[in-house]
Amino acid sequence: MRIASDFLSRHAYTLTCWLVWLAFILAPSLDPHRIGLGWTAAIALGVFAAMLGCVFTVVRHADHLADILGEPLGTLVLTLSATAIEVSLMLMIMLTGQQNPTLLRDTVFATLMVLLNGLVGLSLAAGGWRHLEQEFNLRGALSFLHLIAPLSLVLLVMPNYSRSSAGHTLAPQQEGFLGALCVLVYAGFLLLQTGRHRSLFDHPFNTQQNGFDDNLGEKPVHKLPAGPGDIARSAAGLLLSVVPIVLLAEHLGGFIDFGIETLHAPGALGGLVVSGLVLAPEGLGALRAALANRMQRAVNICLGSALSTIALTVPTVLIAASLSNHTLELGLEGIDPTLLYASLLVLLITLVSGRATILQGQAHLMLFVAYLFFIFYP
């Protein structure tokens, strides 16, 4: 009895998501066009809350795997789980609603703003407030930026200047090239991150001979002793928590698309909702790492997620759009390119210092607040 109670308490959100999905299967009349905007908003809010709870279950299993596997493999598990959720949400919104040509652009840009400014700024501010100053591996952090900067500019800015297609789009050949380039670059990066350059992404005090920095008060982080059974249980729990999120993404995508179309809301709002749900586990993981004086893990989560969004989400959605004859607008408009340039520049200035303080966090949070404001007042 106690075992069953413990199981239910630890997997309550996962079971709730499965039950909500089953309710949609048994009640197909819950179509937003039938029930109206009011009921659609209420149901969408409930689905979002259930999925958010399930997302936090994902981060719990991913954190346990991170403690077992160590860096950077542990963070990579969390990053790839979030990427799977993001791709499923985007595909369901794109395939179930009316054609939204800016969905990929808005979601990728929102993800970069949330990660590079919102979560990085919050982690720096929270960590700086508690620990005054924190250290991270400079070479590893810059390795992320070396790929994030060119890939984001090629994806989100270059289409504005391409002459092979009209507007902010790319020709099919250019989309294929960009997708293949992202996958190849990311595959090479993973080989280096998990192989010969793995130490660049580990905590600095784990790579020092003395293993302790008296100025920072940080202690070495060791992997938890665990057998194959522990890894298998955590991996199974992670998978069972991710699957209902993917299944519910179809229904939430329909509700989001219906709401934006009915209210004539800014299209970028859909991208922000998707990125907010997807990045919830990573945001919690990064904040907890910063408060625990493990800034390297926070950096790995934020920058690793930004890179995986560009290098994995983009090719997948480009392929799906091509197969379903969806036209995608990739180039940023208005002031968005300026926000992207400023974010990359401020991130570079933050990383080259090799130290994290609350002042740096304020600069990133300022850019994030500006991004939110200009969604509604472009």
Side-chain angles (χ1 to χ4, degrees):
M1 191 71 177
R2 183 177 180 181
I3 296 178
S5 177
D6 290 341
F7 177 83
L8 290 176
S9 63
R10 290 174 60 85
H11 300 86
Y13 291 120
T14 302
L15 294 175
T16 300
C17 278
W18 281 107
L19 291 176
V20 171
W21 173 75
L22 184 60
F24 278 111
I25 297 300
L26 298 177
S29 59
L30 294 176
D31 185 288
H33 295 87
R34 294 182 179 180
I35 61 179
L37 183 60
W39 280 106
T40 295
I43 296 175
L45 185 61
V47 173
F48 185 87
M51 294 175 70
L52 189 61
C54 203
V55 161
F56 286 119
T57 303
V58 170
V59 76
R60 175 165 57 82
H61 291 295
D63 278 345
H64 188 235
L65 283 174
D67 291 333
I68 295 175
L69 300 174
E71 293 294 337
L73 292 177
T75 300
L76 188 59
V77 171
L78 179 59
T79 298
L80 295 180
S81 300
T83 302
I85 298 173
E86 181 179 44
V87 170
S88 64
L89 279 170
M90 291 180 62
L91 292 180
M92 292 306 178
I93 293 176
M94 183 174 67
L95 298 177
T96 57
Q98 296 182 5
Q99 189 173 114
N100 185 355
T102 64
L103 175 64
L104 177 61
R105 179 195 71 190
D106 293 339
T107 303
V108 171
F109 182 62
T111 300
L112 291 177
M113 292 296 103
V114 171
L115 286 169
L116 303 185
N117 293 321
L119 294 186
V120 167
L122 186 61
S123 298
L124 293 174
W129 181 268
R130 172 169 290 188
H131 303 287
L132 188 62
E133 190 176 77
Q134 296 173 290
E135 186 181 13
F136 54 86
N137 199 319
L138 173 61
R139 295 173 63 191
L142 288 177
S143 298
F144 284 114
L145 186 59
H146 285 161
L147 295 182
I148 292 173
L151 289 180
S152 61
L153 294 177
V154 168
L155 170 66
L156 299 175
V157 178
M158 188 188 69
N160 293 334
Y161 303 96
S162 173
R163 293 180 293 180
S164 299
S165 57
H168 306 283
T169 63
L170 291 175
Q173 299 87 345
Q174 294 172 323
E175 291 182 349
F177 168 76
L178 180 59
L181 179 66
C182 291
V183 172
L184 290 176
V185 168
Y186 191 64
F189 176 81
L190 288 182
L191 289 177
L192 295 176
Q193 185 188 29
T194 58
R196 63 190 304 173
H197 293 306
R198 180 171 179 169
S199 61
L200 298 182
F201 305 92
D202 201 358
H203 302 279
F205 43 85
N206 282 351
T207 61
Q208 297 173 356
Q209 290 183 354
N210 59 5
F212 186 87
D213 190 331
D214 293 328
N215 295 325
L216 294 175
E218 295 170 324
K219 298 181 179 180
V221 178
H222 302 288
K223 294 189 290 186
L224 291 178
D230 294 322
I231 297 177
R233 281 191 294 271
S234 295
L238 181 67
L239 181 62
L240 290 176
S241 299
V242 168
V243 170
I245 298 175
V246 175
L247 295 175
L248 285 176
E250 176 181 0
H251 305 284
L252 182 63
F255 291 146
I256 292 175
D257 204 49
F258 174 77
I260 291 177
E261 294 169 4
T262 304
L263 298 175
H264 304 288
L269 192 60
L272 181 59
V273 172
V274 172
S275 64
L277 177 61
V278 169
L279 298 176
E282 292 161 304
L284 177 61
L287 182 59
R288 290 171 57 185
L291 291 174
N293 210 6
R294 299 173 64 185
M295 183 53 66
Q296 183 61 48
R297 174 162 167 78
V299 169
N300 287 348
I301 290 175
C302 294
L303 301 189
S305 298
L307 180 58
S308 68
T309 294
I310 300 172
L312 294 181
T313 303
V314 170
T316 303
V317 177
L318 285 177
I319 293 173
S322 176
L323 295 177
S324 58
N325 295 321
H326 275 65
T327 302
L328 296 178
E329 294 184 11
L330 298 175
L332 295 175
E333 300 175 326
I335 63 172
D336 289 346
T338 304
L339 283 174
L340 180 60
Y341 302 149
S343 300
L344 294 174
L345 177 60
V346 172
L347 181 62
L348 175 61
I349 296 173
T350 297
L351 296 182
V352 294
S353 67
R355 298 272 178 161
T357 65
I358 192 172
L359 181 61
Q360 297 165 332
Q362 290 178 346
H364 288 275
L365 290 175
M366 175 192 68
L367 288 173
F368 181 65
V369 172
Y371 160 72
L372 294 178
F373 177 82
F374 287 116
I375 286 181
F376 299 95
Y377 300 96

